[in-house]
């Protein structure tokens, strides 16, 4: 941190947790091209950390690593600007991110960072917006933003914005990030993508599990991700999260997960994580408000 940076609020970092799609069913497609889905989305304890610093009026910027990313492409800057513009906030802010969530991994890191910006600045700028207002604002930034704003694992429907809070078993997972990425747009445009999965319910998911309809297309497009799925399958039922590139497998306990993580091929990155149902962002907000 630069010594010239003065914290906005308390100095403790604000967490932005990742998520796993425990299942992802594509059940239709809207006329505007957006796909209709059903997904069990669970938060995990792999988190980015954000710091907020005072800035002159009207200055909204990213500081530190990746500070040179164009503001129009930087989701955290866009989130802060959207909040400031919509509610006529003239205060400035500098936002610093310590990245731990791998980018382009299907873990929702960028969406979670944006959600943490909305939640934190709503408090720090004393806007007192209700969670529904923040979630609606977040939806303008991306379909995954609302779940992170609301701060609870959920059964998601629609384009991902219709959320029913849910408590999933808080299991230990081994997550693997291959080097190769995958284009989400290309996956959803692929003519071989299943778009007519039967509509199901969260009760059915708890009873029989689910699948990721994107996985066959991603397997075809990426030999490396297919290899990672097969390798992780040695430890249990390996799945893709979102459109990838990360794959994950539930493990019986932390020790077993760490033993498996030590065997992950060197060209990939392994993470041992635990599923969460309540976001640590809510605890950070309560700490700030106390």
């Amino acid at each position: 941190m630069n010594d010239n940076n003065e914290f906005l609020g308390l100095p403790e970092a604000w967490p932005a947790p990742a998520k796993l799609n425990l299942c992802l069913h594509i059940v239709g497609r809207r006329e505007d091209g957006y796909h209709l889905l059903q997904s069990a989305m669970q938060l995990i304890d792999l988190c980015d950390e954000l710091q907020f610093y005072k800035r002159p009026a009207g200055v909204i910027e990213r500081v530190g690593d990746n500070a040179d990313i164009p503001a129009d492409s930087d989701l955290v800057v866009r989130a802060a600007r959207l909040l400031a513009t919509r509610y006529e906030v003239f205060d400035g802010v500098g936002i610093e991110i310590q990245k731990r969530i791998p980018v382009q991994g299907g873990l929702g890191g960028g969406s979670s960072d944006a959600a943490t910006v909305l939640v934190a600045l709503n408090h720090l700028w004393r806007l007192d917006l209700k969670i529904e207002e923040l979630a609606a604002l977040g939806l303008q930034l991306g379909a995954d933003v609302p779940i992170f704003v609301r701060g609870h694992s959920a059964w998601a429907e629609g384009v991902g914005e219709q959320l029913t809070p849910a408590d999933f078993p808080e299991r230990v997972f081994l997550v693997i990030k291959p080097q190769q990425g995958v284009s989400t747009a290309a996956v959803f445009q692929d003519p071989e993508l299943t778009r007519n999965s039967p509509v199901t319910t969260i009760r059915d998911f708890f009873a029989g599990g689910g699948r990721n309809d994107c996985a066959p297309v991603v397997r075809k497009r990426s030999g490396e991700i297919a290899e990672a799925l097969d390798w992780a399958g040695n430890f249990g039922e390996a799945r893709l999260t979102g459109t990838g590139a990360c794959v994950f497998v539930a493990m019986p306990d932390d020790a077993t997960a760490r033993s498996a993580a030590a065997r992950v091929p060197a060209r990939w990155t392994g993470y041992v994580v635990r599923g969460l149902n309540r976001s640590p962002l809510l605890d950070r907000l309560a700490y700030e408000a106390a």
Side-chain angles (χ1 to χ4, degrees):
M1 185 193 75
N2 190 311
D3 292 338
N4 294 325
N5 282 328
E6 182 180 355
F7 288 110
L8 186 60
L10 299 174
E12 286 77 9
W14 292 77
K19 59 82 181 170
L20 294 175
N21 294 94
L22 303 181
C23 72
L24 179 58
H25 300 167
I26 311 298
V27 299
R29 194 173 190 178
R30 302 193 316 195
E31 290 184 359
D32 61 7
Y34 282 93
H35 288 76
L36 299 172
L37 58 86
Q38 293 183 303
S39 181
M41 299 175 67
Q42 185 172 33
L43 306 177
I44 57 176
D45 63 359
L46 177 63
C47 298
D48 289 342
E49 292 188 342
L50 282 71
Q51 298 278 13
F52 297 88
Y53 304 110
K54 293 181 179 180
R55 287 293 184 268
V59 175
I60 294 177
E61 63 181 8
R62 174 89 174 265
V63 300
D65 291 343
N66 297 321
D68 58 346
I69 294 176
D72 291 343
S73 304
D74 194 323
L75 206 56
V76 298
V77 174
R78 289 173 55 202
R81 288 184 173 177
L82 180 61
L83 195 64
T85 301
R86 180 67 56 86
Y87 297 99
E88 298 183 345
V89 176
F90 299 102
D91 293 355
V93 64
I95 306 169
E96 183 179 36
I97 302 179
Q98 182 174 357
K99 287 294 296 181
R100 293 191 176 93
I101 303 171
V103 298
Q104 297 183 332
L107 299 177
S111 294
S112 188
D113 292 342
T116 292
V117 169
L118 294 176
V119 171
L121 291 182
N122 178 51
H123 171 76
L124 296 169
W125 284 345
R126 298 178 175 83
L127 298 177
D128 297 324
L129 300 174
K130 296 185 182 301
I131 199 73
E132 291 78 11
E133 296 174 272
L134 288 177
L137 207 60
L139 185 59
Q140 298 181 36
L141 298 165
D144 282 347
V145 178
I147 189 173
F148 295 113
V149 168
R150 292 184 179 278
H152 203 286
S153 294
W155 178 253
E157 298 182 280
V159 296
E161 87 287 5
Q162 300 172 23
L163 300 171
T164 302
D167 288 334
F168 303 108
E170 296 187 338
R171 305 181 68 177
V172 177
F173 298 95
L174 172 63
V175 176
I176 298 170
K177 172 61 170 67
Q179 292 183 356
Q180 188 173 8
V182 62
S183 166
T184 297
V187 171
F188 278 107
Q189 291 167 6
D190 194 299
E192 295 184 21
L193 177 68
T194 297
R195 297 181 172 88
N196 60 350
S197 281
V199 174
T200 186
T201 66
I202 188 171
R203 179 177 297 181
D204 290 337
F205 169 74
F206 277 118
R211 65 196 170 279
N212 187 326
D213 284 336
C214 298
V217 171
V218 174
R219 273 186 171 275
K220 179 190 70 174
R221 288 179 166 271
S222 172
E224 186 186 10
I225 296 174
E227 184 183 357
L229 281 164
D230 292 340
W231 188 90
N234 292 315
F235 302 94
E237 185 179 4
R239 297 201 173 185
L240 188 74
T241 179
T243 57
C246 285
V247 306
F248 67 96
V249 58
M251 306 296 285
D253 52 54
D254 188 77
T256 305
R258 295 196 178 281
S259 175
R263 296 164 58 186
V264 171
R267 66 186 182 280
W268 302 336
T269 305
Y271 304 84
V272 174
V273 306
R274 181 172 293 276
L276 303 174
N277 289 313
R278 175 185 166 87
S279 173
L281 177 60
L282 300 181
D283 297 327
R284 177 63 182 83
L285 180 63
Y287 176 76
E288 180 84 20

